[in-house]
Amino acid sequence: MARRQTPRAEHETIYYRPQRYAGQGQQPAGPRQAPPPPVHIPAPSRPATRRRWPWVVLLALLVLVCSGTVVLGGLYSYQRERIIPGVNTLGVRLGGQRVEEATRELEQNWESRQIVLDAGDGEAHTLRPTSLGLILDARETALAAYRLGRTIPSIELAIQHAFGRSKLEPTWHFDPAVAEQGVQSVAQRVDIAPTDATIQLVEGAARIVPGQTGRAVDVPATVTHLQENAGQVVMENRLALVMRDVQPAVTAAELETVVAELNERLNNPVTIEAYDPINDELVSGTVPPDTWSQWVSLDPATTQSATATWEIAGDRVAAYLQSQAEVLGPGRYFELDEATAAVTEAIRSGSYHTRLRVYHHDRQHTVQPGETLSSIAYDYGMPYPWIQHANPDLGDGLFGGQTITIPSPDVLLPLPVVENKRIVVSLAQQRMWAYENGTLKWEWPVSTGIDSSPTAPGVFQIQTHEPNAYASIWDLWMPNFMGIYRPVPTSDFMNGFHGFPTRGGSNLLWTNSLGRRVTYGCILVSNDNIVQLYDWADKGVIVEVQP
């Protein structure tokens, strides 16, 4: 019968023994057999925690050693009146220093610091902390560091300082007024003024140049930000300036109306009429916009307003007029100052129309055989004393081939010309015609000077009005006298129109002589007609005396 075996432990060695038979000392029959070899069952592996315990013990011992070292160092510092190890502030290590030493090092560090004021423009704008109102109390900060570990002696605090995980907050004062001055000093370099929209003339047309937004440091907001974040600013050595946009005072939209008006004006041609009073000739022409717009520049003081005005380059106007004077033909020209002013005013006023007077140069005459000064003067329509005056070196007389100067006929027109009225007198027909706006107004018989004292042909001008002029040479009183030229340029005596003269206050002369030469150079008109002519013929009206 088999034997029931009780369970054994996993690591127990099981031995098999020989079976015993009944009866003490009896042995089974047959030869004796050797017992089977023992069977070993391996024991299970031990848990990992049991194998790491030496390392844990070693680490704990190391911590205890370090902590002891810190504690001993702290106790040493405490006893030696030094700041405990590991204390730092503002990036300065104060551990192991006396208060005086820490104070000096903090002061030196504070003086060497530069805080960058960042405006976002990439430029380096720096100030010392004291210029920003940040005043460090170095001694109080050093004393605070010294008190650490003495007022609260704890292993935890010592460990924090030893491993650099604790920083001491410095002690400082903040002065907003100083900070404002410092920020303002940088703002003067950082601020960018806005650019107002303006008007430019480009190729004869007005264009708007948009304005540009500026920027400025918001000084109060920056000071507030500094006060609220002083610690961070000091540790980072950086203060972000609070910026604000500054809009231009004049925007493009505000100039659109004035630009439209300017372009409308620039599109107008300028009409220039050139009037020659000697020939009674009118020449008209136009200056296209693309030509005269090149004479124009905008007044810089008004290009940023709704009242933009332009300036006219006088030298460009004069150059144009000088080139056009060649069209008038040889011997004729514009008086440039006068013409330039007239054209400029026409453009500036917006009329775009002006009339210029044509002038004549002096002429050169070569004396022909048989010519006299009187005959030459008659041919040129010029009183001969005027030619004498223009040629003071004539001497005893003329000779063939001699060159003399004939004055410009304009010397006989000293007043501004009245262009819409004109009087024509014919010496040959002894008649006169008065025209207004090109239309005949009156035609009357007249009497002119006798051969010994002739009326000079030429183009003259009404220059004076006298109700009753006296000619002392002939003892004549001339009613409604209108002087038209001086026979001698250096004399005040004038020839002109008048009614029937009187001598001695009662003797009326030449009442029956109209239509034939009877005067001493003047032009005689009947009393009725001279009254009308006297009132109608303004100063400046042209009188053309034809041969």
Side-chain angles (χ1 to χ4, degrees):
M1 174 171 187
R3 305 176 84 178
R4 186 175 63 184
Q5 298 178 354
T6 58
R8 291 177 172 80
E10 292 181 15
H11 299 281
E12 183 180 358
T13 302
I14 302 175
Y15 295 91
Y16 294 90
R17 299 180 181 278
Q19 188 175 13
R20 294 181 180 276
Y21 296 95
Q24 186 175 4
Q26 294 182 359
Q27 297 293 329
R32 187 176 179 181
Q33 299 178 354
V39 178
H40 296 277
I41 301 175
S45 61
R46 297 180 183 275
T49 56
R50 295 183 183 180
R51 293 189 299 187
R52 289 199 300 267
W53 69 266
W55 298 104
V56 173
V57 172
L58 289 175
L59 181 61
L61 290 175
L62 180 61
V63 171
L64 288 175
V65 171
C66 291
S67 299
T69 301
V70 170
V71 171
L72 290 175
L75 291 174
Y76 176 78
S77 299
Y78 183 87
Q79 293 174 354
R80 300 282 294 176
E81 298 183 353
R82 294 178 182 272
I83 300 170
I84 62 174
V87 177
N88 68 85
T89 185
L90 300 173
V92 180
R93 295 184 179 276
L94 304 179
Q97 298 189 55
R98 296 180 183 277
V99 171
E100 291 75 10
E101 297 170 344
T103 299
R104 286 194 298 271
E105 186 165 353
L106 286 171
E107 288 175 344
Q108 292 172 1
N109 178 272
W110 195 251
E111 288 299 318
S112 65
R113 280 180 176 270
Q114 292 288 333
I115 296 178
V116 176
L117 283 76
D118 188 0
D121 56 2
E123 298 289 336
H125 311 285
T126 59
L127 288 177
R128 293 167 53 191
T130 52
S131 299
L132 287 171
L134 297 172
I135 305 169
L136 176 68
D137 191 334
R139 180 166 180 78
E140 185 58 36
T141 302
L143 288 172
Y146 175 76
R147 287 192 289 267
L148 283 174
R150 288 174 169 78
T151 57
I152 311 177
S154 65
I155 295 177
E156 179 182 0
L157 183 61
I159 292 174
Q160 289 180 357
H161 284 289
F163 288 95
R165 292 195 298 268
S166 178
K167 293 181 176 62
L168 176 68
E169 290 294 329
T171 301
W172 56 45
H173 306 290
F174 181 71
D175 190 333
V178 174
E180 182 175 350
Q181 292 178 359
V183 173
Q184 188 65 56
S185 68
V186 173
Q188 294 175 358
R189 291 176 281 159
V190 169
D191 290 353
I192 299 177
T195 302
D196 290 341
T198 188
I199 303 172
Q200 289 184 352
L201 289 179
V202 181
E203 296 181 354
R207 298 286 185 269
I208 297 176
V209 178
Q212 298 294 325
T213 301
R215 70 174 190 182
V217 177
D218 190 332
V219 176
T222 301
V223 172
T224 299
H225 171 70
L226 173 60
Q227 186 172 8
E228 294 174 351
N229 302 275
Q232 180 181 357
V233 169
V234 172
M235 295 308 299
E236 296 180 355
N237 291 324
R238 178 183 174 276
L239 171 61
L241 297 172
V242 180
M243 306 298 295
R244 60 182 177 85
D245 290 339
V246 181
Q247 300 300 324
V250 180
T251 63
E254 295 175 291
L255 299 179
E256 289 178 353
T257 299
V258 67
V259 166
E261 293 175 353
L262 286 173
N263 283 329
E264 183 179 355
R265 294 180 63 184
L266 287 167
N267 287 330
N268 288 290
V270 176
T271 300
I272 298 178
E273 294 179 339
Y275 179 65
D276 185 347
I278 303 299
N279 301 330
D280 194 23
E281 179 185 3
L282 181 65
V283 178
S284 180
T286 59
V287 186
D290 59 350
T291 297
W292 72 262
S293 62
Q294 303 304 314
W295 311 339
V296 175
S297 62
L298 292 176
D299 182 354
T302 66
T303 56
Q304 296 173 337
S305 69
T307 58
T309 57
W310 52 35
E311 297 176 337
I312 311 298
D315 56 339
R316 297 183 182 181
V317 179
Y320 175 83
L321 293 173
Q322 197 164 18
S323 67
Q324 295 303 304
E326 297 176 359
V327 178
L328 300 176
R332 299 199 294 180
Y333 67 97
F334 294 120
E335 203 289 312
L336 287 182
D337 289 343
E338 175 187 288
T340 298
V343 173
T344 299
E345 180 59 27
I347 296 174
R348 183 178 289 115
S349 66
S351 67
Y352 307 104
H353 178 275
T354 188
R355 181 172 288 191
L356 307 180
R357 177 174 168 178
V358 176
Y359 291 87
H360 298 255
H361 292 291
D362 291 346
R363 294 150 290 180
Q364 298 298 310
H365 176 76
T366 301
V367 177
Q368 301 300 313
E371 287 186 323
T372 65
L373 197 60
S374 296
S375 67
I376 295 172
Y378 190 89
D379 292 339
Y380 277 97
M382 177 74 57
Y384 76 88
W386 287 78
I387 298 178
Q388 284 181 316
H389 184 73
N391 297 273
D393 299 329
L394 283 181
D396 296 333
L398 301 178
F399 55 87
Q402 184 180 14
T403 300
I404 62 174
T405 298
I406 308 299
S408 166
D410 297 314
V411 298
L412 300 172
L413 307 179
L415 302 179
V417 173
V418 177
E419 297 180 10
N420 65 327
K421 296 179 180 180
R422 192 176 186 91
I423 302 171
V424 178
V425 176
S426 172
L427 298 179
Q429 300 181 46
Q430 293 291 291
R431 297 190 70 80
M432 65 155 283
W433 298 264
Y435 297 89
E436 186 169 6
N437 297 318
T439 302
L440 179 64
K441 187 175 183 67
W442 298 303
E443 180 182 355
W444 299 320
V446 296
S447 292
T448 61
I450 57 179
D451 292 341
S452 59
S453 183
T455 302
V459 178
F460 310 110
Q461 194 175 37
I462 300 291
Q463 299 184 43
T464 64
H465 287 76
E466 296 181 61
N468 198 17
Y470 179 66
S472 58
I473 298 177
W474 298 283
D475 188 24
L476 295 178
W477 288 94
M478 300 168 288
N480 300 112
F481 180 84
M482 293 181 290
I484 63 173
Y485 70 91
R486 291 182 173 84
V488 179
T490 57
S491 171
D492 290 336
F493 174 77
M494 297 190 76
N495 283 342
F497 292 94
H498 60 80
F500 295 126
T502 60
R503 180 176 286 141
S506 59
N507 187 13
L508 196 63
L509 303 179
W510 307 329
T511 55
N512 297 317
S513 299
L514 285 176
R516 56 190 179 89
R517 302 171 189 251
V518 294
T519 73
Y520 299 109
C522 289
I523 303 168
L524 178 66
V525 183
S526 70
N527 281 356
D528 292 339
N529 293 339
I530 194 62
V531 171
Q532 297 181 72
L533 189 65
Y534 186 89
D535 294 336
W536 175 82
D538 307 309
K539 286 184 179 180
V541 170
I542 297 297
V543 178
E544 180 182 350
V545 179
Q546 299 175 348

